[in-house]
Amino acid sequence: MASSSLQQQIASMRQSFFDEGIINRDRFIQLENMPNSDFVNIAIKAYFKDSPKAINDIENALEANPLNVTELDGCLQIFKDGSDCIGASKVITEINKIKFCCYDNDMERSRVALAMMQLEYITLKSKLEAYLELLRQAAPASTPIFLSNTNPPGQGSANGND
């Protein structure tokens, strides 16, 4: 069993993701409530495995001359869908900014938004990797972790705020 100090550190880190708007609370709780107790880990690792290609495709689409808005929109949508699966709120915000800038034909602002998206992605990756490492340290083999302020899958809270 993990120490209460480690459990508190995990709970605090998780809450900070929500408080900072890095992760959408409702989406992340949906991941945690999946029947497979390791689903959060699997989803996050898949996201970070697939994301570099998606980001590269966005960069290439933005650099195309002339700009193919349909191609860029497709690349952005693929990355947005993946980001939405784990609730990557700030990354999604920057993806939307790129879209709006391109629709306004403002390529300079599109490139700035791309840089911000990449920064948010790097921040997200760093924080979630640290979080997954703490979860790994805290969990005995094959035992699901239910953090404080989180009910086990299928168990709603008494106040209905899940």
Side-chain angles (χ1 to χ4, degrees):
M1 180 85 181
S3 73
S4 63
S5 174
L6 185 56
Q7 287 293 339
Q8 183 57 40
Q9 189 177 358
I10 291 168
S12 177
M13 181 182 282
R14 178 179 172 270
Q15 186 60 47
S16 75
F17 298 156
F18 305 148
D19 293 345
E20 295 171 30
I22 293 170
I23 294 288
N24 176 285
R25 181 182 191 279
D26 294 336
R27 176 63 73 192
F28 201 74
I29 289 173
Q30 283 178 341
L31 286 178
E32 291 176 326
N33 288 338
M34 297 301 280
N36 179 346
S37 63
D38 198 34
F39 194 79
V40 170
N41 184 39
I42 293 166
I44 291 170
K45 285 185 176 185
Y47 173 72
F48 289 126
K49 179 180 175 267
D50 297 340
S51 293
K53 180 184 181 327
I55 293 170
N56 188 55
D57 290 347
I58 292 167
E59 290 172 334
N60 290 338
L62 268 174
E63 294 303 317
N65 191 4
L67 178 67
N68 181 335
V69 176
T70 303
E71 179 183 342
L72 176 60
D73 192 54
C75 295
L76 289 167
Q77 192 60 50
I78 288 168
F79 191 46
K80 184 177 179 178
D81 290 346
S83 299
D84 187 48
C85 285
I86 66 163
S89 301
K90 287 189 174 184
V91 172
I92 292 169
T93 296
E94 296 305 323
I95 291 169
N96 289 333
K97 286 180 185 176
I98 295 170
K99 282 186 173 193
F100 293 131
C101 292
C102 287
Y103 294 148
D104 287 343
N105 204 26
D106 188 341
M107 297 314 296
E108 186 59 36
R109 281 185 37 227
S110 294
R111 288 180 184 89
V112 170
L114 173 64
M116 287 303 300
M117 181 197 75
Q118 291 169 319
L119 179 62
E120 292 298 347
Y121 171 80
I122 290 166
T123 300
L124 174 73
K125 184 175 183 184
S126 163
K127 290 184 179 221
L128 285 179
E129 285 175 343
Y131 179 74
L132 291 178
E133 177 58 26
L134 286 178
L135 287 178
R136 188 194 64 72
Q137 291 173 23
S142 74
T143 301
I145 295 178
F146 301 113
L147 305 173
S148 61
N149 301 325
T150 302
N151 295 312
Q155 303 292 314
S157 68
N159 62 12
N161 287 336
D162 277 9

